Amino acid sequence: MQKLLTDSELLDVLSPDMEDILARHLRIARPWYPHDYVPWSDGRNFALLGGEDWDPAQSELTELTSTALTVSVLIADNLSAYHRDLAKYLRHGPWWRWVGRWTAEENRHEILLRNYLVVSRAVDPIELERMRMTQVVAGLRRPSVHVLDVLARAAFDEAAATVRHRNTAALAENSVVTAIADRLAADDAAHTEVFADLVAAGLNRAPDQAVRAIADQVAVFETPEVTLADGCSGTALLAASGVYEPVRAPEVVFGPLVDRWKIFSRTDFGSAGEQAAAELAVLLGR
């Protein structure tokens, strides 16, 4: 029977793995700068500074692409809530350094997206600001969980974001939007790697607890819900268009990670782990 580790013990026993994974991420991370992707020459003043306020006719993006980018920037705007969610659990040594690095890298997404949308006049900047205020004030409310749940949930969050941004790039709206979406997808994929490797380390150190966390997080996983200015669900609109379909999460989000972790071929689970793996197989339709 496996010994159940407390969250404090898990943080300690996984700290060497966190050190190595963070070092690798820093070694291979490609520097990039939000300002490079913004067509500043397209910008002009708004009425307060003697220019012209936004008009719908000024947007050159399709409704689908503007919706996809709006959803992305509003999710990114809520970074403070995601930071708190991670920081509450990962407060020590290399864990804290990773939380800081992840937050700084994610913050570039919000900077880039907002600058692009406002400079290109792709969306109403007043409505965008109103939605930002609503989104950030509402924050992110998640039930209290354990460290391995946090890592599994983050891996799935980042994998889902990778899918969403890759599909946004595939819309081929214009070269700038494609470059932006590709850049964000690359970041999301790199962050998925970090969290996926931490979960893999957890599986090696505490197999039953880790697979239980994975199954539990698959069972309750939801993409962030974003309400647009017209009251419509951004999540529903993206699902209907195929940019991100929650119904396909077992195939495009959970499945690749579960296969990566070799859940169904592992031989180190106890009875509790075998039960969790069986539940996971049902959730994935396997």
Side-chain angles (χ1 to χ4, degrees):
M1 183 176 179
Q2 296 176 24
K3 176 188 175 183
L4 292 179
L5 300 179
T6 66
D7 282 345
S8 179
E9 289 171 332
L10 282 166
L11 288 175
D12 285 342
V13 76
L14 291 172
S15 281
D17 299 289
M18 180 73 263
E19 288 275 16
D20 291 343
I21 293 166
L22 176 57
R24 185 199 63 205
H25 176 78
L26 295 177
R27 186 170 61 251
I28 65 177
R30 170 189 159 197
W32 67 274
Y33 306 97
H35 67 268
D36 284 334
Y37 291 81
V38 179
W40 299 104
S41 61
D42 292 348
R44 56 191 189 276
N45 291 345
F46 291 92
L48 183 65
L49 297 181
E52 178 187 8
D53 277 341
W54 184 82
D55 182 272
Q58 296 168 354
S59 178
E60 296 181 357
L61 297 186
T62 61
E63 182 180 8
L64 175 55
T65 300
S66 64
T67 297
L69 295 181
T70 297
V71 168
S72 287
V73 75
L74 291 175
I75 291 173
D77 270 325
N78 230 342
L79 179 61
S80 56
Y82 283 92
H83 172 88
R84 289 194 300 270
D85 191 49
L86 283 179
K88 179 167 61 175
Y89 299 97
L90 311 179
R91 300 179 61 88
H92 309 290
W95 298 98
W96 186 245
R97 295 198 299 276
W98 165 242
V99 170
R101 176 73 187 200
W102 176 86
T103 301
E105 291 185 0
E106 286 286 334
N107 191 43
R108 292 187 298 207
H109 297 190
E110 182 274 335
I111 293 169
L112 169 54
L113 288 166
R114 179 169 299 281
N115 283 343
Y116 173 75
L117 290 172
V118 172
V119 167
S120 67
R121 298 195 174 224
V123 300
D124 183 346
I126 294 176
E127 289 295 346
L128 185 62
E129 177 62 10
R130 287 172 177 165
M131 287 187 286
R132 185 192 73 84
M133 291 292 291
T134 299
Q135 185 83 355
V136 175
V137 169
L140 176 73
R141 294 177 176 85
R142 285 173 160 173
S144 180
V145 290
H146 295 289
V147 165
L148 290 170
D149 295 87
V150 172
L151 300 178
R153 184 168 65 196
F156 295 141
D157 279 337
E158 292 288 0
T162 304
V163 171
R164 189 176 73 252
H165 287 133
R166 283 177 176 164
N167 287 340
T168 300
L171 295 174
E173 177 75 29
N174 61 51
S175 60
V176 175
V177 170
T178 299
I180 289 172
D182 278 339
R183 181 58 261 169
L184 301 189
D187 265 18
D188 297 329
H191 296 162
T192 302
E193 286 285 320
V194 170
F195 287 114
D197 282 349
L198 288 169
V199 172
L203 281 162
N204 291 335
R205 309 277 188 171
D208 282 9
Q209 286 175 267
V211 71
R212 178 76 269 166
I214 293 166
D216 287 348
Q217 292 310 307
V218 167
V220 301
F221 184 79
E222 294 180 343
T223 53
E225 179 59 53
V226 173
T227 302
L228 302 175
D230 59 4
C232 292
S233 165
T235 307
L237 289 174
L238 296 187
S241 66
V243 170
Y244 181 78
E245 302 169 89
V247 70
R248 294 189 62 204
E251 172 193 353
V252 300
V253 175
F254 311 135
L257 287 171
V258 167
D259 291 341
R260 174 184 181 141
W261 294 323
K262 297 180 171 57
I263 297 297
F264 302 122
S265 61
R266 297 182 71 100
T267 59
D268 53 354
F269 293 141
S271 58
E274 292 289 353
Q275 175 61 35
E279 293 174 23
L280 186 57
V282 172
L283 289 168
L284 297 182
R286 298 190 181 183

